[in-house]
Amino acid sequence: MHVSHRLLCALYVLTSTGLAWTAVLELLHGPVWAALLFAAASLVPVIAFVRETVLHDERRTVTALRSRAAAMCGRVDEAADEIVRAELHAACCERWWTSCGTDHDVSCPHRIPRSSAA
């Protein structure tokens, strides 16, 4: 994790702790609705903390996959080109692409006959 991510996560934890403490004080000395509001608000930074760690894990996974693809193909651009080439090869047909998936070419194996019912 970078320093900025750690700082942001620490800020989320401090904010959540402060809001939870405020909820406890409101429960002891204030109205119950305010305590519930602060308790709910203290969960928002926890969600942000979890989201930040998930994003960090995804970035680390993407970096590892790119380095693995670069080692296999020699360059990252070639790996991306290969992925796009495979996806385009798996697509149905030209008419399907141009009609947004409503029509198929006559030779397309995924052609679905249309009924006359509207």
Side-chain angles (χ1 to χ4, degrees), residues 4-63:
S4 61
H5 293 291
R6 288 185 181 137
L7 183 64
L8 190 60
C9 287
L11 183 64
Y12 287 147
V13 169
L14 287 173
T15 304
S16 182
T17 305
L19 287 169
W21 177 246
T22 306
V24 169
L25 291 176
E26 282 296 318
L27 186 62
L28 295 175
H29 304 292
V32 175
W33 65 268
L36 293 175
L37 183 70
F38 281 113
S42 70
L43 294 177
V44 175
V46 172
I47 294 168
F49 176 82
V50 170
R51 181 178 176 271
E52 196 68 32
T53 56
V54 166
L55 285 174
H56 174 70
D57 291 341
E58 287 178 356
R59 286 185 194 118
R60 187 173 45 204
T61 303
V62 166
T63 303

Side-chain angles (χ1 to χ4, degrees), residues 84-93 97 110:
V84 170
R85 193 175 300 114
E87 289 295 325
L88 287 175
H89 181 57
C92 284
C93 58
W97 280 93
H110 301 290

